[in-house]
Amino acid sequence: VSKSKKQTVKDVFEYVNHRRSEGTEVFGILTNHDNMLVGTTGLINWEKKIEYQKILNLKLIKRDLNSASPPLGFGLMIGDKKAQMLGVGGEAYLYMISLIFDFLKADIIFNMAVLKYIEVISMAERVGFNKIHTLSNHIELSSGKYHGVILTMTQNEWLIKKKRFRLLLDKLKIK
């Protein structure tokens, strides 16, 4: 959707249906206080994606994990400026990790971030993700092609890290 025009309900439906056709499940991020939509997040099954296969072939991760769950990942977009300033993105980031590990029982989160967005990578590392590889000129955005950083976290790593976020995670509500 172009940044120069206001989004319509039809635009949102088309975006969600397009993402779902690519294998990404899309969720809305709502404020607790007034149930206002401030962003979206997507749950991605990486199992058959070229990026995941490449990392397996390079033997940078092992696929001898405990569950039958595929490698899952997520994307996050907070469009509301006020919500961004209040830190909704960081909170939603933790909730997605908890959803994947604590509710869906996945063994690994496999994510990609654009290398130039250092703040995103830094936040991921603070939470417990590990940078394992960079794919050159791999992510295509409307402004060009960018290096993609592969970030992973295992269920066992999350069990250690999540204790730091207990107060916030206790507020988690999935509707």
Side-chain angles (χ1 to χ4, degrees):
V1 177
S2 169
K3 291 181 182 178
S4 62
K5 76 172 194 165
K6 185 167 173 64
Q7 281 187 332
T8 66
V9 171
K10 182 181 176 206
D11 293 330
V12 173
F13 276 111
E14 286 176 4
Y15 169 77
V16 169
N17 287 331
H18 173 72
R19 298 298 292 169
R20 284 183 171 163
S21 74
E22 295 178 332
T24 299
E25 196 57 50
V26 180
F27 304 95
I29 299 171
L30 308 172
T31 60
N32 282 336
H33 178 68
D34 55 5
N35 248 8
M36 187 174 96
L37 179 69
V38 295
T40 60
T41 185
L43 187 61
I44 305 158
N45 176 347
W46 284 97
E47 192 163 41
K48 294 182 179 151
K49 305 254 185 207
I50 190 76
E51 297 87 349
Y52 183 70
Q53 295 304 317
K54 188 173 200 172
I55 296 306
L56 281 178
N57 290 338
L58 291 171
K59 300 190 183 330
L60 295 173
I61 56 175
K62 296 176 185 171
R63 189 54 189 135
D64 59 345
L65 303 172
N66 298 326
S67 77
S69 171
L72 297 175
F74 64 95
L76 186 64
M77 179 25 209
I78 306 296
D80 183 90
K81 297 296 182 201
K82 184 178 177 187
Q84 289 173 358
M85 292 186 330
L86 292 172
V88 171
E91 191 172 335
Y93 198 84
L94 284 172
Y95 289 166
M96 285 304 293
I97 296 168
S98 181
L99 171 75
I100 291 169
F101 284 136
D102 302 330
F103 292 92
L104 300 177
K105 305 297 184 199
D107 284 321
I108 191 167
I109 294 177
F110 181 92
N111 266 347
M112 279 189 18
V114 175
L115 181 60
K116 82 176 209 163
Y117 297 133
I118 293 295
E119 64 279 355
V120 172
I121 296 166
S122 178
M123 178 176 61
E125 290 178 315
R126 282 193 309 273
V127 174
F129 279 91
N130 302 297
K131 285 190 290 192
I132 63 166
H133 191 67
T134 300
L135 298 171
S136 297
N137 297 314
H138 186 75
I139 300 175
E140 191 165 346
L141 302 176
S142 59
S143 57
K145 279 193 153 193
Y146 298 92
H147 299 322
V149 175
I150 304 291
L151 301 153
T152 63
M153 184 190 309
T154 65
Q155 172 75 252
N156 290 337
E157 291 167 335
W158 174 241
L159 289 173
I160 294 165
K161 298 289 185 179
K162 80 177 189 178
K163 294 172 189 165
R164 294 181 14 214
F165 308 109
R166 187 77 270 149
L167 285 174
L168 187 59
L169 291 171
D170 285 344
K171 296 188 324 181
L172 175 61
K173 291 179 188 156
I174 300 172
K175 298 179 183 180

